[in-house]
Amino acid sequence: MDQSIKFDLDLIKRYDKSGPRYTSYPTALELHEGFGEAEYLQHIEKSNAAGGPLSLYFHIPFCDTVCFYCACNKIVTKNRAHAVPYLENLCKEIAMQGKLFDNSRPVNQLHWGGGTPTFLSYEQMKRLMDTTRQHFNLRDDDSGEYSIEVDPRETNDLTIAQLRELGFNRISLGLQDFDPDVQKAVNRLQSKEQTFAVLEAARKEGFRSTNIDLIYGLPLQTEQTFAATLDQVLAYAPDRFSIFNYAHMPSRFKTQRQINDNDLPTAAVKLEILQMVGKKLTDAGYVYIGMDHFAKPDDELAVAQREGKLYRNFQGYSTHSDCDLVGLGVTSIGRVGDAYMQNYKELDEYDAAISQGKLPVFRGVDLDEDDKLRRAVITRLICHFELNFSKIESEFDIDFSEYFAPELDNLRLMKDDGLLELSADSIKVSSAGRLLIRNICMVFDKYLAQKQQQFSKVI
C-alpha cells in the first residue's frame, strides 16, 4: 500500500472548510437525551449475545494547571483531595458496568485519558486498575493494548515504572511546542529535559509504543519555531506523532478566550507549518496514517493500515475494530452494539446518578441501517484511503452506485481536482487527497448540512 502524501497548496486552500474528525459516525452531535439507561441495557444484552472482546476508556478529568488551548472536558485544581470522591464514584461505576458484561469477554484495549490521569497518586491508580481487574477480564500476558496519556510535568521515572507495573504498555506524551514564547502564550511551561526524560524512561521500562502530541496553529508559532521543536523531538525518534491543528473556538471553550487572537498564525503560516511537518516526518521515515497521525513503518498502526485492519474510534486510530467500547467516568463516550452513548458531563450529575445506583448514561443514539452503512464507508475511507464497492454491497445488500448516486456525483469534482480516482467499482484517494480525507468523507455524511459550523477547520 502507498502511504505517501503530497502537499498541494492550491487544493488545500480550496477545500479548507469546517468538518468532523469522524472518530464516530454519526458524530457526537447526534447523541440525544431520548436515549438513556434502558436503551443502553438493551444494547449491552445484544453485545453479550454477539460476544467478542471489549475496549475500556476511563476519563480522569483533573489538571493541575489550565492550558489555554484546551478543549477537553477538565477540572483545573491543585487540590489533590478533589480526586478522592471522583475515584470512589468511578470504582462504583466500574462495578455496575462490569456485572452487565459477560466476564468471559477479554479486554483487548484499555485507555486512560483526561485531563491528566497521572494527577492521581500511585495508590489511587493502583486501586483503579485493581477494581477494573476485579470486574472486567483484563489480560495478564501484556498482549492487550493498554495505553495512557501523560503530562511530562506530572511524571517522573518512578511514575513510569509504576505505570508499567500496573499493566500499561503504550504511552502518549503531551508536548505541543517547546518554544518559550508559545508556551507562555498558552500557559504550558514544559522543558525538553522533563519531556525526554519521560520518553527515555518509557523505553527503559519496556513500553511498546511511544507517542508525542504536538499542536500547530498556536499563538506566536512560525514555521521556523515549530520546525525547531520538531527537530528536537525527531532526535529522540518516538514511534508515533500526533500533530493536531489548533481549533480556535472561544465561543465554545472559555479557556481559549485567554488567547490573544492577534497572536494566532495566519492561515498561510499554518499551511507553511503543515507542509514543513509533512516533509520532515516523511523524510525521517515516518508514514502518514491519516488525520494528523504519523508512525514508523513497523508500528502496529502502519502495519494494520497496510493489512486493511485499521479502525477509528473516539481515541483516534486503533487496531481493534472488533471491540465494543465501554466509556467510564464523567463525559466518557462508548460504542456498544449498534449505538453510541455518553455519561453525564458535569460532576454533580455524574455523582447523583452513581449515588442512586444508576448508570450515568444521559444521552446516546441508536444507529439505523443507513447509519451503519455510511459508517462503514467513512471508516474504510478514513483508515485505508480506498473503498471497494463490492465489499460494501455484499455486507449491506445494496447496489452501491444506485444507493449513493448523489454522493458519487458530488465526488466527480474531487476526481477532476485530483483528490481521488473514481471508477465503476471503487474509490481510491490520491496522495494529494489524503490530507483532505475529511472532505471526502463529508460527502457521505447525511447529517452534515445543518451542523457544519460546529466543527473545526479541516486544515
Side-chain angles (χ1 to χ4, degrees):
M1 176 187 175
D2 178 12
Q3 291 175 296
S4 65
I5 53 172
K6 177 183 177 183
F7 192 91
D8 189 315
L9 185 59
D10 180 58
L11 279 180
I12 290 172
K13 286 180 177 178
R14 282 193 283 135
Y15 281 93
D16 188 18
K17 60 181 181 179
S18 300
R21 300 181 62 82
Y22 293 116
T23 52
S24 70
Y25 182 87
T27 70
L29 290 179
E30 303 309 319
L31 274 60
H32 58 83
E33 295 187 21
F35 182 110
E37 183 177 18
E39 289 75 19
Y40 182 38
L41 292 173
Q42 291 172 6
H43 283 281
I44 292 176
E45 186 177 350
K46 294 177 184 176
S47 171
N48 282 329
L54 295 174
S55 174
L56 306 181
Y57 171 75
F58 299 79
H59 191 71
I60 315 297
F62 303 101
C63 290
D64 181 77
T65 56
V66 62
C67 303
F68 294 159
Y69 55 79
C70 186
C72 299
N73 184 289
K74 60 196 173 295
I75 298 166
V76 181
T77 178
K78 292 187 180 298
N79 186 351
R80 306 282 159 156
H82 286 169
V84 174
Y86 181 74
L87 184 62
E88 288 291 332
N89 284 331
L90 184 53
C91 288
K92 289 177 183 177
E93 187 194 356
I94 292 168
M96 281 192 283
Q97 296 254 32
K99 70 180 181 182
L100 297 173
F101 288 89
D102 186 338
N103 194 249
S104 67
R105 302 174 70 179
V107 175
N108 282 354
Q109 188 177 47
L110 178 149
H111 185 82
W112 287 9
T116 306
T118 47
F119 183 93
L120 302 179
S121 67
Y122 168 68
E123 290 74 20
Q124 290 172 325
M125 291 191 290
K126 186 176 187 305
R127 180 188 173 195
L128 181 54
M129 191 64 88
D130 287 347
T131 302
T132 305
R133 194 172 295 279
Q134 180 182 348
H135 297 284
F136 285 94
N137 183 17
L138 298 192
R139 293 193 173 276
D140 292 319
D141 58 0
D142 207 34
S143 64
E145 185 178 299
Y146 293 0
S147 59
I148 185 169
E149 301 168 14
V150 303
D151 180 346
R153 301 171 301 171
E154 291 271 349
T155 314
N156 56 38
D157 289 6
L158 177 60
T159 313
I160 295 300
Q162 292 169 340
L163 293 176
R164 191 72 182 95
E165 174 196 318
L166 291 175
F168 291 103
N169 50 36
R170 288 155 178 80
I171 194 166
S172 181
L173 280 62
L175 166 55
Q176 321 324 340
D177 198 314
F178 276 137
D179 185 86
D181 292 331
V182 175
Q183 290 191 354
K184 290 175 185 175
V186 298
N187 197 42
R188 186 185 178 99
L189 304 181
Q190 178 175 334
S191 72
K192 295 185 284 290
E193 291 76 16
Q194 285 174 314
T195 306
F196 296 135
V198 171
L199 184 62
E200 289 296 290
R203 286 175 170 155
K204 178 183 175 184
E205 294 296 336
F207 278 79
R208 297 209 298 273
S209 178
T210 55
N211 177 81
I212 294 284
D213 286 347
L214 300 174
I215 297 178
Y216 73 94
L218 294 176
L220 304 178
Q221 277 180 341
T222 67
E223 180 187 351
Q224 292 73 28
T225 62
F226 199 71
T229 290
L230 191 56
D231 285 340
Q232 292 173 81
V233 180
L234 277 170
Y236 283 81
D239 299 300
R240 302 175 187 173
F241 281 90
S242 300
I243 303 186
F244 300 105
N245 169 27
Y246 170 57
H248 190 58
M249 305 173 77
S251 62
R252 289 184 59 191
F253 306 110
K254 290 182 179 179
T255 56
Q256 294 186 356
R257 297 172 194 171
Q258 298 179 76
I259 287 177
N260 185 347
D261 290 13
N262 295 326
D263 289 339
L264 293 170
T266 64
V269 170
K270 288 180 72 175
L271 290 176
E272 290 171 358
I273 294 174
L274 179 62
Q275 184 173 20
M276 175 274 296
V277 166
K279 185 175 189 310
K280 276 187 177 291
L281 290 180
T282 52
D283 285 352
Y286 291 82
V287 297
Y288 181 66
I289 302 300
M291 291 295 297
D292 316 313
H293 287 68
F294 294 80
K296 290 180 177 178
D298 59 350
D299 183 87
E300 60 193 357
L301 289 183
V303 173
Q305 188 175 59
R306 289 195 296 272
E307 294 178 348
K309 298 176 182 177
L310 195 64
Y311 192 68
R312 189 160 171 81
N313 61 23
F314 291 104
Q315 281 76 62
Y317 287 100
S318 168
T319 59
H320 293 279
S321 62
D322 55 344
C323 294
D324 272 353
L325 171 63
V326 183
L328 297 141
V330 66
T331 204
S332 291
I333 300 179
R335 188 207 75 183
V336 175
D338 292 324
Y340 297 108
M341 61 292 301
Q342 183 173 25
N343 282 354
Y344 283 110
K345 292 184 176 183
E346 301 298 331
L347 267 186
D348 57 348
E349 294 175 311
Y350 178 78
D351 177 75
I354 298 295
S355 298
Q356 296 169 34
K358 296 180 179 179
L359 293 172
V361 173
F362 87 106
R363 65 173 188 165
V365 61
D366 284 294
L367 276 63
D368 61 26
E369 289 304 310
D370 180 74
D371 291 331
K372 288 183 278 187
L373 166 59
R374 291 176 184 273
R375 178 176 65 180
V377 169
I378 288 171
T379 299
R380 187 72 197 173
L381 286 169
I382 208 165
C383 289
H384 302 290
F385 301 112
E386 62 180 8
L387 180 72
N388 186 302
F389 296 170
S390 63
K391 291 183 179 179
I392 297 294
E393 289 174 334
S394 60
E395 183 177 352
F396 291 94
D397 193 25
I398 63 160
D399 181 301
F400 193 97
S401 297
E402 181 180 315
Y403 194 99
F404 289 112
E407 288 83 357
L408 292 174
D409 281 341
N410 290 335
L411 287 180
R412 297 191 198 288
L413 177 59
M414 293 184 174
K415 175 188 176 183
D416 293 341
D417 283 340
L419 271 68
L420 53 85
E421 297 175 12
L422 183 61
S423 68
D425 58 6
S426 68
I427 299 167
K428 293 184 178 179
V429 180
S430 68
S431 296
R434 292 180 181 190
L435 289 172
L436 297 164
I437 188 60
R438 288 163 74 178
N439 299 74
I440 297 170
C441 292
M442 285 156 61
V443 171
F444 293 95
D445 187 339
K446 72 176 181 183
Y447 299 100
L448 189 59
Q450 67 271 31
K451 303 282 177 66
Q452 194 159 333
Q453 292 308 311
Q454 299 186 50
F455 297 105
S456 61
K457 284 288 191 74
V458 170
I459 299 294

